[in-house]
Amino acid sequence: MPTTTAVRRLPHPAREEIRLATVLHALSDPMRLRIVTALDPHGEGEGLGATCSEVDLPVSPSTVTHHFRVLREAGVINQCYRGTAKINCLRRTDLDALYPGLLDAVLAAAKREL
């Protein structure tokens, strides 16, 4: 019996479609800041990242899904499926190219406040 290796893809904005106002809105929520802070040590790229369940948030699973979707649609994170799990990582390269120093400043401030 043949098996398929179809990859489920999620929509992400291209680098040139990422807008500062959308990024700042996504980062304005404390739960999303916790997600970004938790993903930072995992790096960026193929095979790197963390599943949604690895990020401990004190909210319902549907709310967790919402927060990850807002970050993905804003261009802050990349999500890809590995089997049935969504793997998440920051889009540091894209954000640093568009807004140098922004992510580092946000992460530093979030770590002080969390």
Side-chain angles (χ1 to χ4, degrees), residues 89-101:
C89 65
L90 293 180
R91 290 181 64 177
R92 180 175 279 284
T93 301
D94 289 335
L95 293 173
D96 286 346
L98 292 167
Y99 314 111

Side-chain angles (χ1 to χ4, degrees), residues 77-98:
I77 66 169
N78 183 57
Q79 288 186 307
C80 63
Y81 279 99
R82 189 175 305 139
T84 58
K86 281 184 193 167
I87 305 300
N88 307 279
C89 65
L90 293 180
R91 290 181 64 177
R92 180 175 279 284
T93 301
D94 289 335
L95 293 173
D96 286 346
L98 292 167

Side-chain angles (χ1 to χ4, degrees), residues 31-98:
M31 290 299 115
R32 292 194 287 266
L33 276 178
R34 285 177 69 162
I35 293 169
V36 170
T37 302
L39 293 179
D40 185 44
H42 289 277
E44 175 182 25
E46 188 68 30
L48 299 175
T51 64
C52 297
S53 61
E54 289 179 83
V55 180
D56 185 34
L57 297 175
V59 294
S60 71
S62 62
T63 302
V64 170
T65 299
H66 165 75
H67 286 310
F68 275 94
R69 181 182 53 79
V70 168
L71 289 167
R72 175 177 45 83
E73 290 177 351
V76 176
I77 66 169
N78 183 57
Q79 288 186 307
C80 63
Y81 279 99
R82 189 175 305 139
T84 58
K86 281 184 193 167
I87 305 300
N88 307 279
C89 65
L90 293 180
R91 290 181 64 177
R92 180 175 279 284
T93 301
D94 289 335
L95 293 173
D96 286 346
L98 292 167

Side-chain angles (χ1 to χ4, degrees), residues 27 29-38 102-114:
L27 295 173
D29 183 273
M31 290 299 115
R32 292 194 287 266
L33 276 178
R34 285 177 69 162
I35 293 169
V36 170
T37 302
L102 175 67
L103 192 56
D104 288 332
V106 167
L107 286 167
K111 288 174 185 173
R112 281 192 307 270
E113 293 179 11
L114 295 178

